[in-house]
Amino acid sequence: MEKYATMSFEEKRAELLKAAEQQGRPRGVSKQVEFEDEEIAELLRQYQEYQKNSRSTIVWAR
Amino acid sequence: MDEVYARTARSLSFEIIQSVRPFSNFEFIDDNFGDFWPLRRILSQVRQLGGQVITKELLDSPEDIREENEDIQKLCTKYNPSKSKVFRLGFFNTPIISASNIEKLSSKNFLGYAIIKRDVIPVTEGIINESMDCFRIYESVLKTGRHDNNYIKRLPTWMCVVHGKKFEIEGQLYAQQNGVSNCCAHVAIRTAAGAIRGYDISYRQINLWISKYREEHGKPYRPPGKGLANEEICYVLEQIGAKCFVGDYSKEHKTIPLVPYQKYIYGSIEQGFPAILFFGFENNDAVLSVMPRQYHVIPIFGHTFNEDTWVPDANIMYFPFRKKTKALSSDNWMSMFIGHDDNFGSNYCIPQTYLEPIRLCPKELAPSECLSQKSGVAYAIGTLPGRVEMDPIEAEIIAADLLPPVLEKAPKRYSPWRSRLQIYMEHELLVLRPLFVTGAQYQKHLRKIKGWDNRQQLSKDVINILKIFAKDEFWMVELSVPELFSANRRKIGELLLWANKKPDISRKFESFCLARIPGCFAFFEGMQENKPTFFYWPVEIKDHVQLYDCEKEK
């Protein structure tokens, strides 16, 4: 397991695919996936922008 | 014995008090400590836990108490620490006739403790406006979780000594402020530190960090009893080792805020990390006070779950988050927060809709366009392990984005749930629940889950290939539907996102590890012409399975 410690995330994903293909199980299928909805991607951008300004100081709790 | 802490220090006297009915907690408190609300709350909890005996010890001067006294004296030079007295109350669920019986007891008999301090503090200009002679709870830990629907995770364990004998108690530390060398924020941080690190933190250390922060940021000195700011609280939590993600409701909002504050709180407590709620209330003495509104913070560390909650579609109208993710969050079934309030006592249930966020409307908006709410939640501070780069709200958004297209391409022959889920997606009724897990924990979970027939299980060689990620940390976003999630505590699948990777908004799937859906895993193969390709790998479970931490079914 030490060999995985130095792998990048992408290398680990590739290793996972290789391990799955090498198993003697029914073969899987590859499919291309489409994204149509941009609203959720925009939500992530808005949330990250919102978080950048979330440490304002105007009040003190006592 | 450890003389550093009042909970483990040597005592100068020892008394056994039989506390079964007709013993009156009210009379005991009035006779020994006067009008003392938080102690009434503590003793009423002990009664509910089946308490039969209270032990009372007068303590010598443990180091943490001496430190507090020194710090009070620096601020109030006329303070005389010799007038300070400290008692330790222990609570037991079994009869104790004599001191020698204590030795035979185990931690199973121990319900918790309370350290009570009396302080006599004179008026000091700029520090305290009225002299103080009262008792307060310096600290208390009680056994929690007496209700099945209470969820408090990662409870710290505390060592307490009673008449020389050590006992252990699991629970969240509660403390009251003294209003001089500490305030509500200090005690909330102290509760949080216990939950984050599993051990205590001193008020002096908190104040040292605050001084450093103010010096580095050019902020003026402010006596500790006068309060801490939101960013100061976050700074101290980060020194303790947490990462904070904050919902800020203190500014003008032209529209309803993007994310409900409850998500910041739930996102933390569902992982067993504490959150801090920072809210304002109108000062009743507003006419005389220069501060018409005051702010208070309380630590939150658990929640209750109501499986029969009606989750109305009004959610869609109320917050943009729900409208855009087109999915239900699991926090909808959370009915109450569990937390402490230093003014009133420990382990309270607070309805999650009791407080609304502050809404300060810009002047250009007519009142009908923005109903202002001046008292309410100013900040919601969630905490996570310091190394985490993605917060649970981001994880939920990414899962809501990725899961439907990944599900839609899963071969229908792999499971009848494929078609069923399409209907739930169209009605925007998928339920998402983000959980922080390691790869090893995920593997352990996969070994335990079974399909509804109680026979379908993942084979060992399937689970084994995931050893590649055993040491990694993830957001596992569980996917379910309302009927399965709340009543049966089951799910359809999950998606794993690397938690130590900053989430990208570009949809390059850099955070995506894998998804497990009925009948198959989905692994990311790569991008072709800017479109992602997934490899669907058939596996044994074609059905719904238990939620994480709900693997043992009735």
Side-chain angles (χ1 to χ4, degrees), chain B residues 9-109:
Chain B
R10 180 180 47 218
S11 61
L12 300 172
S13 70
F14 179 72
E15 195 182 337
I16 296 170
I17 301 147
Q18 307 298 332
S19 59
V20 289
R21 192 174 173 180
F23 173 86
S24 166
N25 287 334
F26 285 93
E27 283 179 16
F28 171 73
I29 294 170
D30 288 347
D31 292 344
N32 287 273
F33 306 106
D35 187 16
F36 193 2
W37 287 70
L39 186 58
R40 290 189 188 132
R41 169 64 186 161
I42 285 171
L43 291 192
S44 75
Q45 290 178 78
V46 172
R47 180 83 76 198
Q48 287 175 311
L49 288 167
Q52 296 195 33
V53 162
I54 300 172
T55 57
K56 183 180 168 203
E57 299 169 278
L58 176 67
L59 299 185
D60 204 347
S61 53
E63 204 174 297
D64 55 353
I65 299 292
R66 272 188 278 127
E67 187 176 277
E68 179 173 274
N69 291 347
E70 284 166 11
D71 292 345
I72 295 174
Q73 198 165 40
K74 280 180 194 158
L75 291 159
C76 302
T77 49
K78 291 182 183 165
Y79 168 68
N80 182 353
S82 66
K83 290 188 180 177
S84 166
K85 272 190 176 175
V86 185
F87 297 94
R88 181 169 63 217
L89 302 184
F91 309 114
F92 294 87
N93 63 6
T94 191
I96 302 172
I97 307 302
S98 69
S100 59
N101 291 158
I102 298 276
E103 199 43 52
K104 294 171 196 157
L105 298 179
S106 74
S107 295
K108 285 183 194 167
N109 303 120

Side-chain angles (χ1 to χ4, degrees), chain B residues 489-504:
Chain B
R489 313 286 167 101
R490 292 180 73 87
K491 61 177 175 179
I492 306 301
E494 65 274 344
L495 181 147
L496 255 56
L497 299 166
W498 271 292
N500 306 114
K501 232 180 186 301
K502 193 76 194 137
D504 67 287

Side-chain angles (χ1 to χ4, degrees), chain B residues 137-153:
Chain B
I137 305 288
Y138 175 78
E139 99 187 28
S140 171
V141 179
L142 291 183
K143 192 174 165 185
T144 51
R146 64 181 189 274
H147 298 300
D148 285 343
N149 267 355
N150 284 11
Y151 292 87
I152 306 174
K153 300 180 182 178

Side-chain angles (χ1 to χ4, degrees), chain B residues 67 71 186 189 197 200-212 235-236 239-240:
Chain B
E67 187 176 277
D71 292 345
H186 292 78
I189 289 169
R197 305 200 304 191
D200 207 350
I201 183 174
S202 75
Y203 299 122
R204 181 179 287 179
Q205 177 62 72
I206 296 173
N207 285 329
L208 284 171
W209 278 326
I210 296 295
S211 296
K212 181 168 181 266
Y235 177 79
V236 174
Q239 300 309 301
I240 289 170

Side-chain angles (χ1 to χ4, degrees), chain B residues 257-293:
Chain B
L258 189 65
V259 178
Y261 76 84
Q262 291 88 342
K263 293 196 82 61
Y264 292 89
I265 306 292
Y266 177 78
S268 281
I269 61 182
E270 187 68 346
Q271 328 311 327
F273 273 72
I276 291 187
L277 199 55
F278 192 128
F279 59 94
F281 53 93
E282 296 298 315
N283 189 337
N284 289 332
D285 296 321
V287 174
L288 299 173
S289 170
V290 296
M291 205 164 66
R293 192 170 305 120

